[in-house]
Amino acid sequence: MSSPGNGAGDERRGTPSMETSVVDVPDRGRFEVRLGDRVVGLASYHVENGTMTLPHTEVDPSVGGRGIGSTLVAGVLAAARERGLTVLPYCSFVRHYIQQHPEEVDLVAEDDRPHFGLATADR
């Protein structure tokens, strides 16, 4: 006999798939990534003269390996694009994300790309 619900549709205590959101918190100079209402990561930033500097990102190790960091960086880059900003990806995680997503390299000014090792990411 097979049991009806092998976990696929079962409701479990807690939230099986919490909503992930990326929220700009300008008064703290950071974007936060949240699982439900819990802050599980952040990307600090500073905007000046049309450029968003991205020095640091971090994600709570307890949620590591779930793509939360990538969700955070994607949200930050989308916000920069929406605001017409270029980015300075000083954070190695942001640089790596841009290398893995060459469609985002245009957010880094052409003259700045070699400094961040992104000159070859432009395909």
Side-chain angles (χ1 to χ4, degrees), residues 7-119:
D10 292 351
E11 276 299 320
R12 297 182 186 162
R13 289 203 166 260
T15 310
S17 58
M18 282 192 245
E19 180 84 20
T20 303
S21 59
V22 177
V23 180
D24 187 5
V25 187
D27 57 319
R28 299 189 79 177
R30 69 188 201 184
F31 284 84
E32 296 176 345
V33 62
R34 300 174 181 171
L35 272 179
D37 56 5
R38 178 177 159 224
V39 176
V40 294
L42 62 91
S44 57
Y45 73 92
H46 174 75
V47 176
E48 189 173 329
N49 299 324
T51 301
M52 179 183 284
T53 302
L54 298 167
H56 177 73
T57 58
E58 62 184 76
V59 173
D60 185 328
S62 72
V63 296
R66 296 193 211 171
I68 303 276
S70 293
T71 298
L72 172 61
V73 173
V76 170
L77 295 179
R81 185 177 301 285
E82 189 176 286
R83 297 171 193 179
L85 302 171
T86 58
V87 299
L88 293 174
Y90 287 104
C91 171
S92 61
F93 188 84
V94 175
R95 279 195 311 276
H96 181 74
Y97 181 92
I98 293 171
Q99 288 168 337
Q100 298 301 307
H101 299 86
E103 68 277 8
E104 303 288 12
V105 79
D106 66 307
L107 288 168
V108 180
E110 203 167 333
D111 291 346
D112 292 328
R113 293 176 198 167
H115 177 74
F116 295 107
L118 297 170

